[in-house]
């Protein structure tokens, strides 16, 4: 999968609460402007791609977000597509891969992130089961070339049963037909366990795949070089925000600093 080069930095646009979510402040125009401002700061700071996520929509729907969420995100992602040259990705929390794929296809984005693509995880939304069988078939039905980045041992969740990481990676890339793997820490902003990361990369190599392995949390200007000696790229949110607060605006200088250290 060639979306971006090795050592790629994917910057996050964390959307504030969308219409219909408890935290929505009633000003959708301000939300759109915030998303555009953050995207411009990420692009100017030198990221290789941008991912848009409905981070402000907690408590999250487990699998099937309302249609108005899909409509709102499609509008925002479409505007970002028109305003930036960066490849775009979509993640619809908590785990609506069908919505993410539909939004990305309609808005001409290049990839999606799916937190639980295969298997099942225990989360604060309950037990979430992967739906790779539906996601990959839908992609074929839409005649879409959007790529699927799938988490292994995703953050903010626990396994229902312990299984070797080799099996998880093999099934995600093999039976699940994912185009890339995401490895995260235990939560937003938490650093990835390097032993886990190395095991995922080794398994990817062992099955003869060229799918990229991306960091899904905890990458900073201080650790990015060491982590990218193992992984192929990093999805970065918190470390690029003012004051290291995930919900704050993107700080272009922090983006430049992290990109320069990779």
């Amino acid at each position: 999968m060639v979306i971006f080069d090795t050592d790629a930095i994917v910057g996050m646009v964390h959307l504030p609460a969308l219409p219909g979510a408890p935290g929505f402040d009633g000003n959708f125009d301000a939300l759109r402007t915030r998303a555009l401002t953050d995207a411009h700061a990420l692009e100017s700071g030198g990221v290789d791609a941008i991912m848009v996520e409905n981070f402000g929509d907690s408590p999250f729907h487990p699998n099937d977000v309302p249609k108005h969420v899909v409509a709102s995100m499609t509008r925002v992602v479409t505007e970002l597509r028109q305003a930036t040259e960066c490849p775009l990705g979509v993640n619809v929390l908590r785990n609506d891969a069908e919505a993410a794929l539909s939004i990305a296809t309609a808005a001409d984005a290049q990839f999606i992130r799916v937190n639980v693509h295969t298997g099942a995880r225990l989360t604060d939304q309950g037990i979430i089961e992967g739906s790779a069988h539906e996601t990959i078939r839908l992609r074929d039905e839409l005649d879409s070339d959007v790529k699927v980045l799938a988490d292994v041992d995703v953050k903010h969740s626990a396994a229902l049963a312990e299984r070797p990481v080799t099996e998880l990676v093999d099934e995600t890339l093999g039976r699940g037909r994912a185009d890339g793997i995401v490895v995260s820490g235990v939560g937003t902003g938490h650093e990835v366990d390097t032993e886990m990361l190395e095991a995922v990369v080794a398994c990817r190599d062992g099955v003869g795949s060229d799918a990229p392995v991306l960091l899904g949390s905890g990458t900073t200007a201080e650790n990015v070089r060491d982590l990218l000696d193992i992984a192929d790229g990093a999805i970065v949110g918190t470390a690029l925000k003012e004051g290291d607060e995930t919900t704050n605006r993107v700080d272009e200088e922090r983006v430049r600093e992290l990109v320069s250290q990779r």
Side-chain angles (χ1 to χ4, degrees):
M1 177 186 66
V2 180
I3 296 176
F4 27 68
D5 295 330
T6 300
D7 289 352
I9 301 298
V10 181
M12 289 298 304
V13 170
H14 291 117
L15 298 177
L18 295 166
F24 180 57
D25 65 5
N27 192 340
F28 188 68
D29 285 340
L31 183 152
R32 290 168 46 241
T33 299
R34 164 72 180 273
L36 287 165
T37 301
D38 281 353
H40 283 309
L42 290 169
E43 184 172 39
S44 296
V47 301
D48 302 284
I50 294 170
M51 186 179 295
V52 185
E53 180 181 86
N54 58 326
F55 187 81
D57 278 357
S58 62
F60 301 117
H61 295 273
N63 294 297
D64 186 13
V65 301
K67 293 179 177 60
H68 57 76
V69 174
V70 178
S72 294
M73 290 191 70
T74 301
R75 182 175 179 185
V76 172
V77 176
T78 299
E79 291 191 30
L80 295 185
R81 173 72 289 149
Q82 295 168 347
T84 178
E85 297 298 321
C86 282
L88 290 180
V90 179
N91 188 21
V92 180
L93 300 172
R94 171 70 158 130
N95 200 59
D96 196 337
E98 179 179 352
L101 180 61
S102 300
I103 293 165
T105 301
D108 196 27
Q110 284 72 33
F111 61 99
I112 63 173
R113 179 179 182 177
V114 183
N115 292 166
V116 185
H117 184 59
T118 58
R121 303 286 296 182
L122 179 62
T123 75
D124 56 306
Q125 295 81 34
I127 295 175
I128 293 182
E129 298 182 14
S131 57
H133 59 294
E134 295 177 345
T135 305
I136 301 304
R137 283 176 171 81
L138 175 62
R139 182 168 65 175
D140 287 345
E141 292 172 6
L142 296 177
D143 193 26
S144 172
D145 59 1
V146 169
K147 305 302 181 184
V148 175
L149 305 181
D151 278 83
V152 170
D153 196 28
V154 68
K155 59 189 175 182
H156 300 291
S157 74
L160 298 181
E162 292 302 322
R163 299 181 64 205
V165 66
T166 53
E167 292 182 8
L168 300 178
V169 175
D170 188 20
E171 291 175 0
T172 301
L173 294 176
R175 295 185 182 193
R177 296 177 179 263
D179 302 293
I181 294 288
V182 180
V183 183
S184 62
V186 297
T188 299
H190 289 260
E191 188 172 341
V192 171
D193 180 274
T194 53
E195 290 186 6
M196 171 69 167
L197 179 61
E198 289 171 345
V200 170
V201 172
C203 182
R204 184 273 313 271
D205 294 343
V207 299
S209 171
D210 62 356
V213 174
L214 303 180
L215 303 156
S217 70
T219 303
T220 66
E222 290 72 32
N223 66 20
V224 63
R225 183 59 265 159
D226 289 339
L227 290 172
L228 290 182
D229 284 341
I230 308 170
D232 301 301
I235 301 169
V236 190
T238 303
L240 305 182
K241 301 299 187 68
E242 297 172 351
D244 274 328
E245 290 291 337
T246 309
T247 55
N248 284 353
R249 294 180 181 275
V250 171
D251 183 333
E252 186 176 328
E253 288 306 311
R254 293 178 71 95
V255 180
R256 291 184 187 279
E257 179 185 7
L258 188 143
V259 169
S260 71
Q261 297 301 316
R262 62 179 167 176

